[in-house]
Amino acid sequence: MILNKEVRRRFTLFLFFQDLQKGNDLRFALSGEGFDCFNFMDYDTLLDRLKESMPHVLIFSPEALMGGLSQFVDQVLAINPEIVFIPIAPTEQTKGLLAYRDFNFAQIVNEGAHLAERLLWACDQVASELYLI
């Protein structure tokens, strides 16, 4: 299902990156396609905002995490057990991230060329599945 901007507006995406420029670039690209997006650099601020609002998708870079990935996933799912994760990671981390599929990890988007377009595709897929539910 290809989503239009009207449908995308119904979905909130949180982005969590250590690299402010990358996070802002991705937020701008996804917002331009209609998604409601918020970018965070601070771990505690992200957790506080997760408690205040219920985003549908959390896009993050594992390098932005203060502790381990398991701790991060546990904390987020304790706040919102329905949130869907999309990590942005180097290809080398793909195998390790596969272990998290059962914890609402929808896709892994690898670093590289056309990142914004590939992330849009992944977000559309997640939003389509949620929209049909």
Side-chain angles (χ1 to χ4, degrees):
M1 173 177 177
I2 297 175
L3 300 181
N4 61 36
K5 287 186 178 185
E6 278 304 308
V7 174
R8 286 180 182 143
R9 283 189 179 98
R10 298 179 186 182
F11 294 94
T12 303
L13 314 176
F14 278 13
L15 293 91
F16 181 55
F17 289 91
Q18 185 177 26
D19 181 344
L20 179 63
Q21 187 63 49
K22 179 188 280 185
N24 282 337
D25 289 348
L26 293 173
R27 181 188 58 79
F28 181 76
L30 294 170
S31 293
E33 294 296 330
F35 285 107
D36 187 25
C37 298
F38 299 90
N39 185 31
F40 301 92
M41 276 186 59
D42 181 71
Y43 190 82
D44 292 327
T45 303
L46 170 69
L47 294 179
D48 288 343
R49 285 295 305 273
L50 284 168
K51 292 173 187 172
E52 294 172 10
S53 62
M54 294 292 190
H56 299 92
V57 179
L58 176 55
I59 301 160
F60 73 97
S61 170
E63 70 184 18
L65 303 179
M66 306 271 279
L69 180 58
S70 294
Q71 177 186 354
F72 174 68
V73 170
D74 288 344
Q75 286 181 314
V76 171
L77 291 177
I79 296 167
N80 180 356
E82 296 181 7
I83 197 164
V84 176
F85 295 92
I86 298 178
I88 307 288
T91 306
E92 302 80 40
Q93 293 182 9
T94 301
K95 189 171 184 175
L97 290 168
L98 286 175
Y100 290 88
R101 288 181 83 174
D102 292 337
F103 298 96
N104 298 353
F105 275 53
Q107 290 192 37
I108 300 166
V109 177
N110 295 123
E111 297 279 359
H114 307 288
L115 177 60
E117 292 82 2
R118 291 182 290 112
L119 181 57
L120 173 62
W121 191 311
C123 291
D124 273 350
Q125 184 175 1
V126 170
S128 293
E129 291 172 13
L130 293 173
Y131 182 75
L132 294 174
I133 293 173

